[in-house]
């Protein structure tokens, strides 16, 4: 469906317009602290189908339901003690919890890809919660990129990717985190890390004890496809320098051209926030490839390396 993105006169008007569009079953560009989302009414199968169409996304890949607070999440999902402890510590914020579904009608079957679990998150960005409140229900929102491409971390990038399918959108500025939320499943008494993100495994374990390594297989995120987050140019990781025709994304002092550095000071938070934007900007130069310096894999570096590996087509 070709849409015309409404040009609202103010942020307040844009939020109201977004709520209205969601109630009418239309799609909305949603700012969050992680990446921009393409949002729809979670209970409306036609609206959810429009997301899959706009993204060119495989339908077996379930979506995250975004709600304004933990009480709203509890109405959708059954959160046990550990899930509640995670919610209390990290919401609002970049953590998604996969838990057994409580109210199947609030998040339609298509949005859950037929699973009897549901992914829930309370976003940290105040404008995301304002849109959800203006709408008055749960919204499902995958990243606003076309399937397989880097997630958008600015409003302009989101509009370029999927704006043609959205009836409204809210500009929330550049995303502070820049990587998608950490996804943790809390199912049948087991806790598994399904997608690394800025809430790290160490932070989760400090709170609720060891993750069940090995439970990932059973709880596996169907969305973790091989080639993902990929620009058009091939990505080569753990590179020391550029080969002819490549753009080199450095990390740390003296690593390549500062213009293309993930972080000149070697700051992982900055690297996470800049990664997708730099991949996009590099791609626009139409290089023969994008070479990326090694990034240490500790803490937030685990999530950065996860996205880099997938962008380069390597799956571990
Ligand atoms: O930061 C984010 O999470 C962003 C912003 C917009 O909130 N959203 C996002 O959504 O990254 P998406 O659709 O690109 O990623 C959702 C991930 C996928 O890997 C999907 O397979 C997984 O969550 N997921 C969703 N529901 C699941 C379920 N019931 N069981 C296992 N994995 C699930
Ligand atoms: Mg995505």
């Amino acid at each position: 469906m070709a849409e015309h993105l409404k040009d609202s006169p103010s942020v307040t008007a844009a939020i109201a317009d977004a709520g209205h569009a969601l109630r009418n079953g239309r799609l909305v560009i949603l700012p969050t602290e992680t990446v921009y989302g393409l949002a729809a009414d979670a209970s409306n199968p036609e609206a959810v189908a429009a997301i899959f169409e706009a993204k060119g996304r495989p339908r077996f890949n379930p979506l995250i339901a975004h709600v304004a607070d933990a009480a709203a999440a509890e109405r959708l999902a059954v959160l046990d003690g550990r899930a509640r402890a995670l919610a209390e510590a990290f919401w609002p914020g970049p953590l998604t919890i996969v838990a057994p579904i409580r109210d199947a009608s609030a998040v339609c079957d298509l949005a859950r890809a037929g699973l009897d679990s549901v992914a829930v998150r309370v976003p940290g960005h105040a404008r995301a919660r304002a849109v959800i409140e203006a709408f008055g229900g749960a919204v499902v929102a995958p990243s606003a990129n076309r399937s397989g491409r880097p997630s958008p971390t600015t409003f302009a990038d989101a509009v370029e990717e999927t704006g043609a399918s959205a009836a409204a959108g809210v500009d929330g500025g550049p995303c502070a985190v820049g990587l998608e939320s950490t996804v943790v499943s809390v199912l049948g008494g087991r806790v598994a890390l399904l997608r690394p993100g800025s809430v790290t495994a160490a932070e989760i374990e400090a709170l609720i004890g060891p993750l069940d390594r090995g439970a990932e297989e059973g709880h596996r995120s169907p969305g973790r496809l091989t080639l993902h987050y990929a620009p058009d140019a091939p990505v080569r990781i753990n590179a020391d320098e550029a080969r002819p025709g490549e753009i080199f994304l450095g990390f740390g002092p003296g690593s390549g051209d500062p213009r293309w550095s993930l972080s000149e000071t070697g700051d992982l938070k900055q690297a996470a926030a800049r990664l997708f934007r730099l991949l996009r900007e590099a791609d626009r130069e139409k290089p023969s490839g994008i070479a990326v310096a090694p990034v240490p894999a500790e803490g937030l570096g685990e999530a950065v390396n996860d996205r880099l590996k997938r962008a380069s087509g390597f799956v571990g």
Side-chain angles (χ1 to χ4, degrees), residues 206-230:
L207 190 72
I208 58 166
L211 288 159
D212 287 305
R213 317 256 170 202
E216 292 88 357
E217 213 38 56
H219 299 184
R220 185 172 277 293
S221 267
R224 316 243 56 217
L225 303 170
T226 315
L227 193 63
H228 213 129
Y229 315 111

Side-chain angles (χ1 to χ4, degrees), residues 55 57 142-143 145 151 180 195 228-229:
K55 283 184 59 89
R57 177 175 173 121
S143 46
N145 52 286
S151 300
E180 304 79 1
R195 179 171 74 182
H228 213 129
Y229 315 111

Side-chain angles (χ1 to χ4, degrees), residues 12-39:
T12 315
I15 289 168
D17 289 339
H20 187 75
L22 289 166
R23 278 194 296 280
N24 285 335
R26 318 278 282 278
L27 306 188
V28 159
I29 296 205
L30 181 76
T32 90
E33 76 284 19
T34 57
V35 300
Y36 276 81
L38 183 64

Side-chain angles (χ1 to χ4, degrees), residues 70 73-74 77-84 87 91 97-100 102 120 186:
E74 296 249 17
V78 182
L79 304 184
D80 70 9
R82 285 190 289 179
R84 280 202 181 135
W91 283 352
I97 300 174
V98 174
R102 186 191 299 277
V120 285
V186 188

Side-chain angles (χ1 to χ4, degrees), residues 50-311:
I51 290 184
F52 284 93
E53 194 179 326
K55 283 184 59 89
R57 177 175 173 121
R59 284 174 187 246
F60 54 77
N61 190 359
L63 305 176
I64 298 169
H66 297 65
V67 289
D69 53 38
E74 296 249 17
R75 289 195 288 276
L76 303 181
V78 182
L79 304 184
D80 70 9
R82 285 190 289 179
R84 280 202 181 135
L86 290 170
E88 214 159 282
F90 298 113
W91 283 352
L95 178 77
T96 293
I97 300 174
V98 174
I101 185 86
R102 186 191 299 277
D103 178 0
S105 63
V107 182
C108 66
D109 227 46
L110 179 59
R112 289 181 288 110
L115 298 172
D116 53 12
S117 58
V118 64
V120 285
R121 140 166 150 83
V122 179
H125 201 306
R127 287 186 188 170
R129 297 196 304 279
V131 169
I132 295 164
E133 274 168 354
F135 164 58
V139 302
V140 282
S143 46
N145 52 286
R146 279 170 284 117
S147 200
R149 304 239 321 134
S151 300
T153 54
T154 65
F155 186 62
D157 287 344
V159 170
E160 183 187 311
E161 285 281 330
T162 52
S165 309
V170 176
D171 188 344
C175 299
V177 175
L179 296 180
E180 304 79 1
S181 60
T182 304
V183 180
V184 168
S185 60
V186 188
L187 293 169
R190 307 189 81 189
V191 185
L193 181 66
L194 302 186
R195 179 171 74 182
S198 70
V199 173
T200 63
E203 287 177 291
I204 291 168
E205 293 189 322
L207 190 72
I208 58 166
L211 288 159
D212 287 305
R213 317 256 170 202
E216 292 88 357
E217 213 38 56
H219 299 184
R220 185 172 277 293
S221 267
R224 316 243 56 217
L225 303 170
T226 315
L227 193 63
H228 213 129
Y229 315 111
D232 292 331
V235 174
R236 190 165 66 82
I237 57 177
N238 296 322
D240 294 329
E241 57 185 6
R243 291 176 186 158
E246 281 182 340
I247 288 178
F248 179 73
L249 306 188
F251 180 81
S255 170
D257 178 350
R259 152 87 185 80
W260 292 111
S261 178
L262 288 166
S263 170
E264 283 187 84
T265 57
D267 175 5
L268 287 169
K269 217 167 150 188
Q270 186 179 39
R274 285 170 61 81
L275 175 64
F276 287 140
R277 196 154 4 128
L278 281 180
L279 286 177
R280 265 170 203 287
E281 284 173 11
D283 219 20
R284 286 195 189 108
E285 310 277 320
K286 308 231 172 297
S288 62
I290 302 171
V292 188
V295 175
E298 311 97 56
L300 181 51
E302 189 191 349
V304 173
N305 277 288
D306 171 77
R307 304 308 191 275
L308 278 171
K309 275 186 199 159
R310 285 165 200 281

